[in-house]
Amino acid sequence: MAVDTEPLLQIREKISLGQPASVLILMPHYGYYGHPVPKLVEALALREVPHPVDLTTTSANQVMLDPADLRLIRTTHLLAKSPRSWVRVLRRLREERYDFVCVSETPIAVQRVFYQAMALLANGRRVRYLRILRGRYTPEPLTWPGFLRDLLRPRTLRTLAARLGNLASRRRRSPRSLGLPSRYLIEITNVCNLSCPLCPTGQNAITHGQGMMDFEKYKQLIDECAPSMEHLDLYNFGEPLLHPKFTEMVAHAKAKGVGTVQVSTNANIDLTPDRARRLIECGLDNIVVACDGADQETYAKYRVRGRLDKLIAFVRLLSDEKRRLGRVTPQIIVRFIPMRHNEHQVEVMERLAYEWGADKFVRYNLSLFYGRDKGNFDKFHPTNEKYKTFVLVQENGVEVAKCVFVQRCAAAWETFNIAWNGKAIPCCADFDATQNFGDVFEEGARAVWNGPRIQAFRRQFIRDKNQIPLCRDCDNIA
């Protein structure tokens, strides 16, 4: 497809003359896994400008786009706010004239439709939709007819209906969900090769059995749920890359139209160039690498039996193969949890992550849900005020850890959580399937989603969630 290069050529000329260019990037993203801004800018430039744009250096044939020159509006939580806030943001977009407007792709239909409309309504000369097609950024002109075609696609309408139905159910405090879930967490295995001290798998605390999800049953589940599935997490309590059919599972989900497929791994896997290529070509969108130490001694204090050199080799090889194949997915996201023994390494860990070839570095709060006793608090909870998430409180005369950050929980209405053996559970915290809503392999996912057991759970959650042990002990529910 021919691409109009005029807008970016004009921007390049303006910057070369010392004039600021006004570029608006609307970047919807799911959670903290959005594509990094420099990579979006670089992708636009490399695709449309004859000379590459280098974000760090300048030369005779290159132009540096300083991030300070970009008008970036990052509205992660915009959809959760009132229509009044939407009007306020739109007014901002209409007040200034932009040389170039770009909206990056998201598989979340509600966000995609909203941000595309915002981009078209912005006061810009050119508008582009930065699609990720077969693992590569592909800028496309965004027009009102194209927007309406996307909006009226059957899949978009189905997922919008599912989202609105779930929202209406929560607002009406109904035990029956009016829509199918759009986010799924499918635990393809709860077997792991490490022994992390705050993980029930690592501490052999799971009693409902361990194993690998059957591939044929998995395909049956995806085939049934794919029409409304926008986001799929293929992990929970286990190391998903140990599953022998992992790449086939991802490929099947993407073939059925699932938007984002994401996995979290400890990366203590013997990665070969062939396996790295298969991880890239299967269609995986995000791979989160858990790394909690910048040296072996620090790393192994929590990732017991883990080897940092294996993790580094994994990240480097996967990054090199992506570069060789010319792909931007899967995004490699290094995730770091500040704890008492490693909180001094946050900055050095971020630098190292990018040196290894990661696309993104994120810091994640420590959870003591599986070890709330004072001993674990004293051993693992960070002392730096920036990273503190728990305090000690008295419960029945005993000191236990209590999270200071709480939020409203809508997991039973929004996310379908499925254990490796097909048991449907309320949320990712139910590692032992204590609240079993039914077997999706035997009864079918649709039947379980609004079956009598899950409706009884929602009814009790609405009435008094503290009567549910799983919710009463949760460190993150208001």
Side-chain angles (χ1 to χ4, degrees):
M1 180 182 67
V3 178
D4 180 12
T5 62
E6 181 186 354
L8 284 175
L9 289 171
Q10 291 175 350
I11 291 172
R12 184 171 180 268
E13 183 179 358
K14 287 182 69 174
I15 294 178
S16 67
L17 295 173
Q19 301 172 6
S22 182
V23 180
L24 170 66
I25 301 177
L26 290 170
M27 190 174 64
H29 60 277
Y30 198 77
Y32 51 69
Y33 297 123
H35 284 256
V37 178
K39 287 191 175 292
L40 295 178
V41 177
E42 188 177 19
L44 284 167
L46 289 172
R47 291 283 181 266
E48 300 193 3
V49 180
H51 300 291
V53 173
D54 191 302
L55 294 172
T56 55
T57 61
T58 57
S59 67
N61 294 323
Q62 294 177 327
V63 174
M64 181 174 70
L65 285 181
D66 187 340
D69 292 334
L70 303 179
R71 305 289 181 86
L72 172 65
I73 296 182
R74 191 181 177 107
T75 48
T76 309
H77 302 293
L78 185 62
L79 292 175
K81 297 181 180 178
S82 66
R84 186 179 301 173
S85 69
W86 303 347
V87 173
R88 190 162 56 247
V89 171
L90 182 58
R91 190 177 295 127
R92 280 179 60 190
L93 301 186
R94 297 292 296 167
E95 284 173 353
E96 300 182 47
R97 187 165 188 82
Y98 302 99
D99 295 296
F100 191 82
V101 178
C102 171
V103 57
S104 64
E105 182 177 36
T106 173
I108 312 303
V110 175
Q111 288 192 8
R112 184 172 68 249
V113 168
F114 180 81
Y115 281 94
Q116 284 184 355
M118 287 287 105
L120 287 166
L121 291 169
N123 192 6
R125 301 179 193 173
R126 298 288 193 280
V127 182
R128 289 291 179 272
Y129 180 49
L130 193 57
R131 188 183 301 279
I132 300 174
L133 193 62
R134 289 186 292 278
R136 296 175 175 86
Y137 288 123
T138 308
E140 300 177 355
L142 181 62
T143 62
W144 281 110
F147 166 77
L148 292 174
R149 282 195 299 272
D150 187 20
L151 175 63
L152 297 176
R153 285 192 308 158
R155 183 175 182 83
T156 304
L157 293 176
R158 279 196 303 268
T159 51
L160 284 173
R163 282 269 177 157
L164 293 173
N166 288 329
L167 176 63
S169 299
R170 295 200 321 273
R171 291 289 174 85
R172 291 172 57 242
R173 298 173 66 83
S174 169
R176 180 176 178 81
S177 177
L178 297 178
L180 290 170
S182 57
R183 176 164 185 160
Y184 288 71
L185 187 151
I186 299 178
E187 178 187 67
I188 58 175
T189 182
N190 61 352
V191 175
C192 191
N193 51 350
L194 301 189
S195 300
C196 303
L198 295 178
C199 174
T201 301
Q203 296 307 300
N204 297 315
I206 294 175
T207 62
H208 80 121
Q210 290 183 275
M212 305 274 184
M213 183 173 284
D214 180 78
F215 183 46
E216 294 303 319
K217 290 181 177 178
Y218 166 85
K219 289 198 296 182
Q220 167 192 323
L221 176 61
I222 294 296
D223 293 349
E224 181 182 6
C225 300
S228 70
M229 191 182 291
E230 294 181 304
H231 183 91
L232 172 60
D233 289 317
L234 284 178
Y235 63 95
N236 199 14
F237 291 101
E239 173 47 59
L241 296 189
L242 293 178
H243 199 295
K245 293 286 187 179
F246 176 77
T247 54
E248 290 90 336
M249 287 175 155
V250 175
H252 185 76
K254 297 300 289 187
K256 292 296 180 178
V258 176
T260 296
V261 181
Q262 179 171 285
V263 70
S264 179
T265 176
N266 59 44
N268 271 249
I269 305 293
D270 292 319
L271 191 67
T272 63
D274 178 65
R275 191 173 184 189
R277 177 184 57 77
R278 286 188 283 120
L279 276 174
I280 295 165
E281 294 182 342
C282 70
L284 185 64
D285 295 285
N286 299 321
I287 183 164
V288 183
V289 177
C291 183
D292 306 309
D295 57 78
Q296 175 61 30
E297 182 182 359
T298 306
Y299 172 78
K301 284 184 179 178
Y302 185 77
R303 303 290 168 181
V304 178
R305 298 195 308 183
R307 284 175 47 189
L308 184 60
D309 60 335
K310 267 193 172 184
L311 183 150
I312 296 171
F314 182 101
V315 174
R316 282 179 169 161
L317 179 55
L318 191 61
S319 177
D320 289 345
E321 280 298 298
K322 278 175 55 181
R323 193 178 301 110
R324 186 182 69 80
L325 295 170
R327 305 288 283 264
V328 297
T329 56
Q331 279 198 101
I332 305 171
I333 303 159
V334 171
R335 184 183 66 197
F336 183 88
I337 301 176
M339 290 174 272
R340 188 158 302 195
H341 61 276
N342 69 2
E343 58 187 316
H344 62 288
Q345 293 186 336
V346 174
E347 288 77 14
V348 68
M349 190 64 243
E350 181 172 9
R351 175 179 57 79
L352 287 173
Y354 290 118
E355 285 181 8
W356 299 339
D359 297 300
K360 203 166 188 179
F361 173 84
V362 295
R363 178 171 54 82
Y364 202 73
N365 291 336
L366 174 69
S367 174
L368 292 172
F369 181 78
Y370 310 104
R372 297 177 62 212
D373 60 273
K374 186 177 184 299
N376 280 324
F377 179 89
D378 291 340
K379 184 176 182 179
F380 293 106
H381 194 258
T383 58
N384 190 316
E385 292 294 332
K386 290 193 299 183
Y387 312 134
K388 284 185 175 180
T389 53
F390 284 79
V391 292
L392 288 174
V393 298
Q394 289 282 338
E395 284 188 9
N396 301 318
V398 179
E399 280 190 306
V400 295
K402 182 68 176 177
C403 188
V404 295
F405 301 113
V406 293
Q407 62 186 4
R408 296 187 181 277
C409 179
W413 284 268
E414 287 188 341
T415 306
F416 211 162
N417 297 270
I418 301 165
W420 71 274
N421 51 12
K423 294 179 180 178
I425 54 179
C427 68
C428 61
D430 194 1
F431 65 89
D432 222 8
T434 58
Q435 297 279 342
N436 179 13
F437 299 145
D439 189 325
V440 297
F441 297 146
E442 298 297 328
E443 303 170 49
R446 289 174 180 268
V448 171
W449 178 246
N450 267 321
R453 280 179 278 182
I454 195 171
Q455 288 200 47
F457 178 89
R458 291 172 182 147
R459 195 175 291 113
Q460 180 60 57
F461 187 91
I462 293 167
R463 188 183 302 119
D464 184 4
K465 57 182 173 291
N466 289 320
Q467 296 301 313
I468 305 171
L470 181 72
C471 302
R472 182 185 63 238
D473 295 334
C474 183
D475 57 32
N476 208 29
I477 295 182

